[in-house]
Every structure is written in C-alpha cells, then in structure tokens.
Amino acid sequence: MHFRYALPWLSIQTVLAVSLPFADIDPSTQLNKRPLAYSEPHYPSPWMDPKAIGWEEAYEKAKAFVSQLTLLEKVNLTTGIGWGAEQCVGQTGAIPRLGLKSMCMQDAPLAIRGTDYNSVFPAGVTTAATFDRGLMYKRGYALGQEAKGKGVTVLLGPVAGPLGRAPEGGRNWEGFSTDPVLTGIAMAETIKGTQDAGVVACAKHFIGNEQEHFRQVGESQDYGYNISETLSSNIDDKTMHEMYLWPFVDAIRAGVGSFMCAYTQANNSYSCQNSKLLNNLLKQENGFQGFVMSDWQAHHSGVASAAAGLDMSMPGDTLFNSGRGYWGTNLTLAVLNGTVPQWRIDDMAMRIMAAFFKVGQTVEDQEPINFSFWTLDTYGPLHWAARKDYQQINWHVNVQGDHGSLIREIAARGTVLLKNAGSLPLKKPKFLAVIGEDAGPNPLGPNGCADNRCNNGTLGIGWGSGTGNFPYLVTPDQALQARAVQDGSRYESVLRNHAPTEIKALVSQQDATAIVFVNANSGEGFIEIDGNKGDRLNLTLWNEGDALVKNVSSWCNNTIVVLHTPGPVLLTEWYDNPNITAILWAGMPGQESGNSITDVLYGRVNPSGRTPFTWGATRESYGTDVLYEPNNGNEAPQLDYTEGVFIDYRHFDKANASVLYEFGFGLSYTTFEYSNLKIEKHQVGEYTPTTGQTEAAPTFGNFSESVEDYVFPAAEFPYVYQFIYPYLNSTDMSASSGDAQYGQTADEFLPPKANDGSAQPLLRSSGLHHPGGNPALYDIMYTVTADITNTGKVAGDEVPQLYVSLGGPEDPKVVLRGFDRLRVEPGEKVQFKAVLTRRDVSSWDTVKQDWVITEYAKKVYVGPSSRKLDLEEVLP
C-alpha cells in the first residue's frame, strides 16, 4: 500500500483560495437574477462527544489509535487514493506503521458492485413494500456478510435520498419509500443489520438528491446542457425537518457509521461544503458521531469543506484520474500553515476510526480486499489506472451463502396484489400462456450490460452504481414453466412485445390463462437509455407495454398483468378492464425474480405486500416532477420544493384527488376485519430543551512543524501515477500548493468561528450525549392497540398501519407513524400494537428551532392503507 503524493504541476487550487463558490455565501449577492434560496452558515464543525451513547467504547479505541498518528497518517485516513488507484471503487490510504490496511469503500444498496459470486437482493423499494422490519434487518445483515466476505470496510448504502419527491426520479428504487417514517424504519433496520455483520454502513445521499438531471456539471454538459453549477434543491426549514431529514435522523439513532453528502446543492450551497447541513443539522442538532464522506466528485473545495464538516474525500481526486486533490497534499499544507486547526484534522480521523471500531473491526483482523472492481480477471494491475504492479487481484470468493432463499422471500412478500377478480391464486391452470419480453432472459445474459445499462429481458434491478452482477437470474418464464410441468399444465410463452400475430393466436385459444409481463426502468444519470437520462421521461410502460396489455386483454378474458417497475406507472387506460382479472406489482425483485412471482401467483405465498407509494391517474396528478431543463441561465438550476411536505399520498389527500391505488394498499387471498381500537396514554415528563455547552475541542498527539518531514520519500517507495498522496514535493510550501493565491490567512476567507475550538453552546433541540436529537422526543406518550381478525379461509399476513392527524391547518390529513406485519390463521384474532413517541405527534417550530406539540386536536387512525382507515379515535 502507498501513501499519496501530489506533484505541483498536477495541483489544482490550494485549500486557501477556492475558485468554486464558497460554502454559505449568500447567492443573491452573486447573481443578478431572481432571489435565490440561501443556506446560512454554521461554524465551527462539531467534534465528537466522548460520552455519546453507543459510541463510548469506539471513541476510546479511536482515541488510543489516533493519538499515535502522524499528521501524514491522519491526512491519509481522510483522503481517497484516487479513481482506479487500487481495487475498490474508493479507498483510503493505509497506515502500515500501525498495521492498518487501506479501507475499502464499495457500492452498493443491493449488491456488492463489480464483483462475482455475490448475491443481488431486491431493491430498496421492493423491500419497503414488505412493511417487515425483520426482513429489512435480515437483508441488511446479509449484505453486510457479503461485503465483509469481500474485504469491504464501508458499504455505500442504504439510501434515503432520494426519498421520492417526483415519481420519475431515476434512483427512487435505490431508496425505500416516499414516506419518511417507512423509509426511516427501513434505514434503521438495514443499518443495524449491516453493522452487526461487521461492516460500516453509509447513509446516503444527504440531502435533497431527488433527481438525476443536473446533479453534476460535467455529466450535464455531456448531455448538451450549458450549466456551470449543479442543481440546487431549495428546501424550507419545516419541510427539511418533517420530511427529508426524518429518515436520516433514524439512521443516526441506529448508530450509522458514515454519511455520504450529495452531488447537488441545498439552498445554493454544495452539499459537501454546506455547513448548515453538515455542521448544524447532522452533527450539532442530531449528534452524528460518525464521518461524512463526499460522493464521488462531489468534493469542490479544500479548507471550505473541512470547515463545513466534511471528513473524508472520495475518491480523492478532484475529477476522475486527474491526479489532483483538494485534500491530500493540500490538507497537509492547510494544517501546517494553520488554516485547518489540529483539532479539526484530529476530529476527522477520530470519526473515521470510531466508525471502524464501532462495528467490531480491529486493525489486527481486517479482512483483505479479495476482488478488483475494475475487472473480473484473476490477474491484473493492482494500481488499475496506472497499469502498475501486475499480480493476482481477484480471488473469486463466493459470499452468497444461503441468501437466495432470503431474496426469494423478500421479493415475494414485497409483491403487491393490486387487483384480483378471483383468478388468483392459480390452481393447476389447464393452459398457461406467458407473454412479454419482461418474462424472459436478456439475450446477452443477466450481466450482458455493464451496470445494467439496458432494458433487455426481465427487469430484476435498475441501472447505475446501485447495481451488481447477478450470480444467476431466475426469469418468470423459467419458474412458471417449471411449475406448469409439475402440475401437468400446458405451457407456452412468447417472449416478445411486438409479435401480435403469434400472441393473438396463442392467448385467444380456449382455456388460456394469459400472464403479461411488462416493465419500466430508471437509474443513475451517467447512463442514458432510450433518452432517459437516469430520470424517467414519463410514467408509461416501456417497449409499448401498455399496447401489449390492451391487446392481450382484448383477446383473452382471463389476463393477469405483472409489473416490474421502479415506482408508479400509469394504469388508467386499462386497469379496470374486466378482462384483466389481476394486477401485481413485483417491483425490482433481484435474482430470484421468477421464483418469487411464481410463489405469489400460485399461493405458496399469500400476497401481503403494500405499495410504498401512490398510484395516481395521471402524471400531473402527483403535483411534483423532475426539472428537465435549466431554469437559471447557465448558473445552477433551481428546484424549489414549493409543495413542502405534501408529496405522494399527502399531496393527493390535500387535493382531495382520487387515486387508482393509495399508499399502503395491497390485497390478500384472504380477508381481515379491524376492531377494538384502544389508546393508552402514558405519564411522561415535560419536554425540556437542552442547555449547556460542549467540552472544548480535543487534540490527539502532536505533529512536526518542520516542512522537511513532509516531503515525498522517493527513496522509500516509487511514485505511482495519479495516486493521491499526503506528501509535499518540496520544502517550499507555496510551490507545493501550486496555487498563485497561496498565502491568504484563514481570517481572509473563512467565516467567523470556523476554526473556533472553544466550548460551544448546545442547541435546545439537540441531545446531550444522545444521537438523534433531544432524548425527550423519544418518550413513549401513547400505546395504540387494535384487534385484527382473519375472516377468510386461508392463513395470511396482514399489515395494519397507524396514522396520525396532527390537526393543524398546514398539516397533512394523515401521516404514517407505525405498522406491523402479523401472521393470522383463519378465524384467529390477533392484536396490533404500536407506540407513539413525542416526536410522532410533534411539529417543527421554525421560530423556536425545536419540536413542539401544537394545540390542535390530534386523531389516531388504524387500517390497512392510507385511505382505508377503519378505526379512529381522538388522542387524549
């Protein structure tokens, strides 16, 4: 392993003078255009709390380790070694003197990207549809096991950004749901599972990363858009707290070790140097103790980002393979010349190592990295970009375990039965005709398109960095044919969408049960498919799927439709056709796709999935959309969240708009009855705002102030091309910086208090030693119970949902606050039980800057979906 080095002629801007817009400068003074949203400054960057609950042991271990480090070693922890520098999608430098290997950062939310012999799990949106905390945890644990088995230190997931503001958003499927509570629970369970397996989880993308268009300047320019800055998500304070920040706070409470800041700007300040987001909301208000890493190429400055709360630069170079770094050499210089104080670099290193130790990792027992993201070849260059050090780089370790059965279960229980006129479950149908490209294989194989950048065959997952290589992909055609053979049924399939003559001849035959498989797709913005630049251009089915459904249903009066999509599609033209006897949404089910849908169609699994978003009648009915064209000249496109908290079901409820299928809806092969709602009020103390102050910022160890100690040791090891090192190339600090503006003092360009390491006042909404905010927010104020009776003839799972009306004129009609999945036998009655915390019944007060329970009357609802709320009662 090597340290990093930046040659002066490869240097870009110094950490002292930032040519890109400085974090937190009021943009209205920069642009003579309409008034723009403004992100207020918050400094200094909070340091770790040695008494933070759940982090105490990790803090002490980190302190013991970091206290031994030199400045070069601390910088080495904070700066990636460069794109393609070694094996993983991102790596830190090693600390060989103390035995610490390079830390491996690797995608992704549903698979270990770029490797082999790994599993491909159902997407987040499908997992959310299970409404099953246990399955969410198991999926996270299994992902963590596979990551650890590959030598991954930090798994770059789960995802709460995007939340799903616009249904067309390209990466919505990587996240969980448009509801912050459902997403927050899924985040927490996934994180606990991943970290229990010994791998650091990474909550991303923080925050307002709700579309792919204009997320990066270079990417946008490649598509022909003339913009100079990335999109700004303009989010007001109340919306931020009650909607987009909510699930990230749940991640903090779950003990997540790292956050990834987003490509986009928030209120016209880049997310990775936005002190309001990182210093104030994340670390100060909510007490996050782990480290913040940049998204890849989302790092835009040197000292500015350090002061604003960034702790790790990924992948380390300014642009891929530039050989230049905002940190590395420049961060070393910044500490030496005093523009970054020692306490700040120490805090960065502390946060990284505390997260490492918190999940049970040790320096002595680190798993070696046994794969190369850049190739599946067994042998190749260790330093991929430099084509240097040819050796074995892939060991092809099989980490799948028995995860296929878990994947099959999650995908089946996440399948939502939207319509059933009695045709399901199938019972040895005489003749089964399966139609559509989405039922069959990709002719190029399941991994025939890099990063899944095509839509050929059945849709198991979307495209982009959130994908992985399938070990196998069971298609619906394979699984359904196997079941038909077992039952003695006749089986034929036409695996094309555009073969009307052959399809009609097949499905119009007597006794035919037709199952039509159709899809829509989306993904990350660096890939364009059929004009869809990550974000979907529309909400229709792909490959003329709507025409296929309408044609087949006109020829067969028993047509079943299966949808593989990243979110809602428009079903208005055909969903109520009487010849369409059943509709199922199977989401993005992963490698066991065919087996899981067969389980549901034949009743091996009684469907109990609930839709984690709303199915509107038209695109316009959602009230939100992707911004597809720049709206601010060549400056940063402005995406104003004028809808506030009213997205998805909250919006439809506010508009009193009809929907096809509401949030939380899903049918079963049995029926349930709700009764006996009871509310128990608990005696809890008054909410007490937090007071007091932190300790002063600590420092750990010391460092040499002699510039000679930081010059690249050419005699010790050779320089690797494009590798980002912490070293200087000469004793002339100005020359090493490579910046004509070198020499400015911190007072000349940093905001007040940016480097203030004195004790700081605590926010009233913060939690003294309690990550996640004021601990009183989590006092249990009410216990809600209801009885659920299975009134049908077969056993099934029911998903009772608890909603609350907060009562205010600006509040949504109802908001989800709890749920459970209950197994109920025929005729059996079981009890649903949920609790309401103070947070659940509070609203964010923008004046007090705290959570308050308003004076408006509040009501509790329990039912099977957001619009079928059978039971209600006023909160006492």
Side-chain angles (χ1 to χ4, degrees), residues 546-563:
D546 290 293
L548 179 64
V549 170
K550 287 187 279 189
N551 283 337
V552 173
S553 60
S554 71
W555 300 324
C556 178
N557 64 4
N558 187 17
T559 298
I560 297 165
V561 179
V562 177
L563 305 161

Side-chain angles (χ1 to χ4, degrees), residues 136-203:
M136 294 168 184
Y137 174 88
K138 289 179 180 178
R139 175 177 176 269
Y141 187 79
L143 279 164
Q145 285 181 310
E146 296 202 7
K148 188 167 186 179
K150 290 290 187 180
V152 173
T153 314
V154 182
L155 186 62
L156 303 177
V159 174
L163 185 66
R165 173 185 178 270
E168 302 86 358
R171 299 178 78 177
N172 290 354
W173 55 271
E174 291 187 36
F176 295 100
S177 169
T178 54
D179 182 83
V181 170
L182 177 54
T183 291
I185 290 170
M187 289 286 287
E189 296 298 334
T190 304
I191 288 161
K192 287 185 284 188
T194 299
Q195 297 195 162
D196 283 352
V199 174
V200 178
C202 179

Side-chain angles (χ1 to χ4, degrees), residues 442-454 456 469-470:
N442 180 349
L444 302 176
N447 302 311
C449 305
D451 290 323
N452 215 34
R453 59 181 70 207
C454 62
N456 302 331
N469 290 323
F470 288 97

Side-chain angles (χ1 to χ4, degrees), residues 461-504:
I461 55 176
W463 75 73
S465 65
T467 63
N469 290 323
F470 288 97
Y472 59 84
L473 175 55
V474 179
T475 68
D477 182 51
Q478 288 175 304
L480 287 167
Q481 179 170 256
R483 179 57 190 260
V485 170
Q486 176 185 323
D487 289 347
S489 300
R490 176 186 168 196
Y491 183 91
E492 294 188 44
S493 59
V494 177
L495 304 180
R496 292 178 57 189
N497 285 16
H498 303 98
T501 301
E502 293 79 5
I503 292 172
K504 181 179 181 181

